Amino acid sequence: MESESKLAGDLQGSAGLLSQPKAVWAVAFACVISFMGLGLVDPILPAIAEQLHASKSQVSLLFTSYNLVTGIAMLITGVVSSRLGVKWTLLSGMVLTIIFTALGGASHTIGQIVGFRAGWGLGNALFIATALSAIVGFSRSGTAKAIILYEAALGLGISVGPLLGGELGSISWRGPFYGVSVLMVIGFIFILFVLPKTPKPKQTSSIADPFRALGYPALLTLAIVAFLYNFGFFTLMAYSPYVMKLDEHGLGYVFFGWGIMLAITSVLVAPKLQRRYSLVKSISWMLTLFAVDLGVMAVGTINHSPATVIVAVIAAGIFLGINNTLITTAVMQAAPVERATASASYSFVRFLGGALSPWLAGKLSEWSTPQSPFWFGAFMVMLGVMVLILRRRHLDHINMSTGH
């Protein structure tokens, strides 16, 4: 009941979403740049496959290596941040990203790019796990509104990234890699000079803390659900560019539309849904609609209708934007552990799904039919809904509804 009232207070707090200290805006700005990196490479996936003579499953390893290292590295983010402090952990992650994105742009084989994307994943892990807890920690407006701001930065970065990726990718597939590196330098300077020096935590974390946190049923439930729905998410991200039959510019515009939908719904729609309906009901409906949307992509692929797939990809941003905000808010309230630890343990599990799913999507299209990755993604998302419903009693302490 205590955490329920805390969450209700967060949602109805008097402090406005935009009433934040400079530290929050500094981290949010850097988040936008960091998340641009995810969407920036989407428009160039077919170009990399063609120019480096690689299969879809080989190119999908760009996501697999990135997500696998990000997930595993999440286990050490608490250890690092408890020793370096928030500011220097963020800066360390950004330095690694700057180095490995530049090396990725200078690569000559698909194997080199995959390897350097793994290094990029390490930098990403140090940054994103710390960034979320930093925004929540520095915020004056409560956990829920701070998370909305974080998700808005995510949506903005993901939406602008493909536009820039499409423009740079039309010149060369190397352009987006160099683009991320340059943007991260700007973000690094911003954090270095704007973010105040933060004291190190009084207690240092151990690598066992994230595993212990997963011992709490609520956090484990949310992590498993995220692991499963990431099969749908990264099928969309890593595989859909091949069936839309668009050039770099076209793919950039499609994922820009997707990201805009994600950003708008995460900020404006998710809080209203959570106030009116229970958390479990809201997440279940959003994931079910996302699974149906993946089914529409499969049908569009069967009927050789790229337009159907394009509309479905953009529409997916609506369901994913709402779901991301709801589930991230729940994670922050799910267990009586440090926010950074909760974020790290949850992200460790979900990124493992993000590591396996892109490669599997590419392989399924080679083993079976072009539409099979979408059907499989939809199945895994619905499996996540089943897990959520069957284990909903573990979420009772955060499963609040102020409506019907």
Side-chain angles (χ1 to χ4, degrees), residues 138-290:
F138 284 124
S139 175
R140 288 194 288 248
S141 57
T143 299
K145 288 182 180 178
I147 288 170
I148 290 169
L149 186 63
Y150 174 82
E151 293 294 340
L154 185 152
L156 183 60
I158 285 179
S159 60
V160 174
L163 275 184
L164 186 60
E167 292 299 321
L168 296 174
S170 64
I171 302 169
S172 167
W173 66 262
R174 302 177 190 275
F177 287 91
Y178 291 132
V180 172
S181 189
V182 171
L183 287 170
M184 265 300 180
V185 170
I186 297 171
F188 178 89
I189 294 169
F190 202 62
I191 290 286
L192 183 64
F193 290 105
V194 177
L195 195 70
K197 188 176 180 181
T198 53
K200 296 177 186 177
K202 294 176 182 177
Q203 252 186 329
T204 56
S205 299
S206 79
I207 198 167
D209 288 347
F211 291 108
R212 291 195 195 101
L214 288 173
Y216 291 97
L219 188 58
L220 180 62
T221 299
L222 294 169
I224 293 171
V225 170
F227 171 85
L228 293 168
Y229 92 73
N230 259 1
F231 278 83
F233 180 87
F234 280 100
T235 294
L236 182 152
M237 293 292 288
Y239 181 69
S240 67
Y242 295 105
V243 298
M244 287 189 275
K245 309 298 182 186
L246 297 172
D247 62 11
E248 291 87 352
H249 283 104
L251 289 172
Y253 287 125
V254 170
F255 280 101
F256 172 70
W258 171 78
I260 287 293
M261 291 295 101
L262 190 147
I264 290 173
T265 55
S266 66
V267 174
L268 300 179
V269 182
K272 292 180 181 178
L273 271 181
Q274 187 166 343
R275 284 195 291 267
R276 187 169 179 81
Y277 302 105
S278 72
L279 206 73
V280 169
K281 186 181 289 185
S282 300
I283 294 173
S284 297
W285 271 111
M286 288 308 106
L287 291 183
T288 299
L289 289 171
F290 178 45

Side-chain angles (χ1 to χ4, degrees), residues 16 28-29 79 96 107 201-202 210 229 232 325 364 368:
F29 174 78
V79 176
L96 288 172
S107 300
K202 294 176 182 177
Y229 92 73
T325 295
L364 283 172
S368 183

Side-chain angles (χ1 to χ4, degrees), residues 2-13 274 400 402:
E2 183 180 343
S3 57
E4 178 177 319
S5 60
K6 183 178 186 296
L7 185 54
D10 282 340
L11 285 166
Q12 300 169 1
Q274 187 166 343
M400 60 162 289
T402 56

Side-chain angles (χ1 to χ4, degrees), residues 78 81-82 133 201-205 209-210 213 216 219 331-332 335-345:
S81 64
S82 67
S133 60
K202 294 176 182 177
Q203 252 186 329
T204 56
S205 299
D209 288 347
Y216 291 97
L219 188 58
V331 166
M332 291 292 103
V337 297
E338 293 289 332
R339 294 188 184 103
T341 301
S343 177
S345 56

Side-chain angles (χ1 to χ4, degrees), residues 373-392:
F374 295 119
W375 289 126
F376 182 74
F379 169 75
M380 294 298 278
V381 172
M382 287 309 301
L383 198 58
V385 175
M386 288 177 59
V387 170
L388 184 65
I389 293 172
L390 290 173
R391 292 176 61 88
R392 64 186 179 276

